[in-house]
């Protein structure tokens, strides 16, 4: 569903720019395409007063510039048009697997860069597109469980779980429903609103309401037993910034990067590689009670 909505959004933006250019001249039409970048700038400006310690103006400018590129790549190309450009990879004989979980208003195309690199390494991966797009986060637990089971069938062990934004909460909802039958997973979350976010009041749907600060749903959600949480003081979506840190998790601060840009950071990729190379991926024969 998100791919279809984002295709419509891209076409509407192009149509608006063509109309303005035809009606008022191309000196006005072409800048029309940049209106989302201007709106995005407002989201970064408020972080100077919301977060403590406050990010510097230089960090915010760098994060905004990177976020414009990351957002256009995601919402104008990969997600609307390239959702299945990198299919799930389940090679026979794979010894490690990764489950990739996207965030709010996104789809599996969010991970195209990571999936291409994992395929080149021979690492098995599954990346579901979570549906319904604006339904309850609890509804995503079944899709996540299906992906975990597919990876365990190939590798013989628990996969590494990696999630961006709302995907981190979807992992926690999955753990609440299915964790009793699994070994404790290693999880990496990138900009996930573990303690809610101020910006959720601007979102539509049940899942947006669940991500609001102080929501009853969020208060009842369990943590993850072994997690790395990446966060940034320049996160224009999940703020105040510390809300992206799950209690008991290993926190990793990344400066000068926005919400979408966290997926493109070397730090996050290196953490994934370290986890894959380590011994923290449990055997399928050791279920853990929660």
């Amino acid at each position: 569903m998100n791919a279809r909505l984002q295709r419509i959004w891209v076409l509407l933006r192009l149509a608006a720019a063509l109309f303005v250019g035809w009606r008022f001249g191309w000196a006005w039409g072409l800048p029309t395409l940049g209106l989302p970048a201007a709106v995005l700038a407002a989201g970064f400006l408020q972080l100077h007063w919301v977060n403590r310690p406050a990010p510097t103006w230089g960090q915010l400018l760098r994060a905004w510039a990177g976020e414009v590129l990351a957002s256009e790549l995601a919402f104008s190309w990969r997600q609307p048009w390239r959702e299945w450009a990198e299919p799930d990879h389940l090679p026979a004989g794979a010894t490690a697997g990764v489950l990739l979980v996207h965030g709010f208003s996104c789809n599996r195309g969010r991970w195209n860069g990571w999936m291409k690199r994992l395929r080149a390494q021979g690492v098995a991966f599954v990346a579901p597109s979570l549906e319904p797009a604006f339904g309850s986060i609890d509804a995503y637990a079944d899709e996540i469980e299906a992906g975990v089971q597919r990876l365990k069938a190939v590798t013989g062990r628990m996969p590494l779980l990696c999630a961006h934004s709302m995907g981190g909460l979807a992992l926690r909802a999955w753990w609440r429903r299915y964790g009793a039958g699994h070994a404790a997973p290693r999880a990496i979350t990138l900009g996930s609103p573990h303690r809610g976010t101020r910006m959720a009041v601007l979102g539509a749907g049940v899942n947006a309401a669940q991500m609001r600060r102080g929501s009853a749903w969020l208060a009842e959600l369990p943590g993850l037993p072994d997690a790395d949480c990446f966060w940034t003081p320049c996160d224009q979506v999940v703020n105040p910034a510390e809300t992206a840190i799950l209690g008991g998790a290993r926190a990793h601060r990344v400066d000068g990067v926005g919400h979408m840009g966290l997926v493109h950071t070397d730090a996050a990729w290196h953490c994934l590689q370290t986890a894959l190379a380590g011994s923290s991926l449990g055997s399928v024969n050791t279920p853990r009670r929660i």
Side-chain angles (χ1 to χ4, degrees), residues 134-150:
F134 302 106
S136 171
I137 297 173
D138 288 313
Y140 307 143
D142 292 343
E143 293 182 71
I144 292 174
E145 174 65 10
V148 168
Q149 293 294 348
R150 291 175 67 198

Side-chain angles (χ1 to χ4, degrees), residues 35-206:
L35 287 177
V39 173
L40 194 61
F44 281 98
L45 285 174
Q46 51 106 21
L47 297 179
H48 187 73
W49 294 277
V50 170
N51 289 333
R52 290 292 179 270
T56 67
W57 291 115
Q59 290 172 337
L60 288 172
L61 179 62
R62 187 166 74 250
W64 170 78
E67 199 72 356
V68 170
L69 295 175
S71 295
E72 289 293 347
L73 178 63
F75 293 109
S76 296
W77 177 238
R78 284 180 172 172
Q79 291 175 176
W81 313 106
R82 304 282 291 171
E83 180 180 6
W84 293 99
E86 296 288 343
D88 293 341
H89 186 53
L90 297 165
T95 59
V98 180
L99 183 77
L100 300 164
V101 185
H102 65 78
F104 180 75
S105 195
C106 293
N107 62 37
R108 68 186 305 282
R110 184 76 188 88
W111 298 103
N112 279 0
W114 281 34
M115 290 191 285
K116 184 175 181 179
R117 296 167 78 177
L118 289 171
R119 189 187 308 277
Q121 292 179 334
V123 176
F125 61 80
V126 170
S129 282
L130 304 177
E131 296 287 351
F134 302 106
S136 171
I137 297 173
D138 288 313
Y140 307 143
D142 292 343
E143 293 182 71
I144 292 174
E145 174 65 10
V148 168
Q149 293 294 348
R150 291 175 67 198
L151 288 163
K152 286 174 70 173
V154 169
T155 66
R157 61 179 60 214
M158 193 69 188
L160 175 66
L161 310 179
C162 189
H164 177 246
S165 194
M166 181 195 71
L169 303 185
L171 289 183
R172 292 168 62 187
W174 161 81
W175 184 242
R176 174 167 59 185
R177 182 176 300 177
Y178 289 103
H182 292 294
R186 174 78 177 272
I188 300 172
T189 68
L190 313 175
S192 292
H194 289 296
R195 289 183 278 161
T197 172
R198 297 167 58 250
M199 307 309 289
V201 297
L202 303 177
V206 176

